[in-house]
Amino acid sequence: MNKKDIRRMLLPAALILTMAIAPMFGVKNATAANPDPFFDISLLAPNTNPARNQWATLMTEQLPKIGIGIDTFDHTGWAQISPRTWSHPGPYPIPTYAEGGFDILFVGWSWGLDWDPTGLFDCESWTPDGDNFYQYCSEDFDAALSSYSQAFLVADRITYAEQMQQILYDDLPALCIIYPRSLYPMAEGVSGMDGLLWASVYQPMEQWSVEGETELHYATPADFVDFHILLYESVYDAQWLRQIYNGLLERENGTREWI
């Protein structure tokens, strides 16, 4: 037997031996432990929205990784959230969660095409006078908001809106963890659909068409519940009611300007 054959026999034996004795040296799977928290907070989150439930739960897992401990995760209904936020009885400012207020509240805001944050971040809208439970106040923001609300030209409104957004970005009265985007898969040949107008309940289906077809079939991911144009809560109800009760004003498909 030559040396080459001996090496071929010894190599598998060496590998088997290495694998056999590895447990003796205490080989363990590496797991990253969370650092000691710098401070602890309590999280308050509504349990009424499946997507929001997932994001709130995810944050309870992620915050400890950067040294923010979770004391309480209060996953509850709006009836329990309201007394700690918008309907807090005072005194003000709203205190911490341990004192009957809140530390962090997970909430989602849905905006129309004409963004109007009046009542949400301005100084005069501090709870209980408005929805500014953030208890944020900025004279610069209020001035930009006032100019924005009184401007008639779209270009001017965009300028003031950008000023407000920059102020909020710098001051961070709220931290955005997700900007949802709507996805609308559709068959080839469908034209005329504007995803932004549709999501904002501004587009009638009469603007849609399917090449070579006389019928259009639309699938919605939820059941219809409300049948009153002024009393609906779900955006899906709003979208189909919009097909029955058209508005007096329409937005042009493509430019999205009022016509």
Side-chain angles (χ1 to χ4, degrees):
M1 182 179 296
N2 56 37
K3 293 182 178 180
K4 188 175 182 180
D5 293 333
I6 294 175
R7 284 197 298 269
R8 288 177 178 175
M9 295 177 61
L10 290 178
L11 181 58
L15 291 175
I16 294 173
L17 179 61
T18 302
M19 295 173 64
I21 65 175
M24 298 173 59
F25 293 96
V27 177
K28 298 180 180 179
N29 293 327
T31 57
N34 294 329
D36 292 334
F38 296 101
F39 57 89
D40 294 325
I41 59 174
S42 294
L43 306 183
L44 186 61
N47 58 9
T48 56
N49 182 285
R52 189 162 47 212
N53 292 345
Q54 295 178 4
W55 285 107
T57 302
L58 177 63
M59 294 308 296
T60 65
E61 301 170 356
Q62 297 299 315
L63 288 174
K65 295 180 181 180
I66 59 174
I68 301 178
I70 307 301
D71 185 33
T72 301
F73 179 31
D74 192 353
H75 204 196
T76 185
W78 290 111
Q80 289 71 41
I81 292 175
S82 180
R84 292 181 173 273
T85 53
W86 297 279
S87 301
H88 189 272
Y92 301 98
I94 299 174
T96 64
Y97 180 89
E99 298 171 308
F102 74 100
D103 298 337
I104 289 182
L105 168 65
F106 291 94
V107 64
W109 294 109
S110 298
W111 305 104
L113 292 182
D114 294 315
W115 181 55
D116 185 6
T118 302
L120 188 59
F121 294 113
D122 50 294
C123 299
E124 293 184 354
S125 297
W126 265 42
T127 300
D129 298 325
D131 289 335
N132 188 358
F133 65 91
Y134 304 100
Q135 301 167 105
Y136 169 76
C137 183
S138 166
E139 293 182 358
D140 292 337
F141 179 86
D142 284 2
L145 175 62
S146 177
S147 299
Y148 173 82
S149 302
Q150 299 177 53
F152 291 97
L153 298 179
V154 174
D156 292 340
R157 289 175 63 84
I158 291 176
T159 298
Y160 295 126
E162 290 176 346
Q163 291 180 11
M164 288 188 289
Q165 289 177 336
Q166 185 62 52
I167 293 170
L168 295 176
Y169 180 83
D170 293 336
D171 293 348
L172 293 178
L175 299 175
C176 295
I177 60 175
I178 178 177
Y179 291 93
R181 300 185 65 182
S182 300
L183 299 177
Y184 299 105
M186 62 189 71
E188 294 184 5
V190 175
S191 61
M193 181 183 183
D194 187 312
L196 182 58
L197 289 181
W198 179 252
S200 303
V201 198
Y202 279 122
Q203 188 175 44
M205 285 183 175
E206 62 194 39
Q207 295 180 349
W208 302 359
S209 63
V210 184
E211 184 179 358
E213 300 289 342
T214 58
E215 293 184 359
L216 186 148
H217 298 267
Y218 177 79
T220 183
D223 294 330
F224 298 135
V225 178
D226 298 313
F227 301 91
H228 195 292
I229 189 62
L230 299 179
L231 300 178
Y232 62 82
E233 293 186 5
S234 168
V235 66
Y236 305 114
D237 291 337
Q239 287 168 338
W240 83 266
L241 285 169
R242 178 67 170 77
Q243 312 313 310
I244 304 172
Y245 306 100
N246 283 339
L248 297 177
L249 296 176
E250 299 285 345
R251 288 186 181 270
E252 186 176 9
N253 194 12
T255 66
R256 300 164 184 162
E257 296 290 341
W258 289 108
I259 56 175

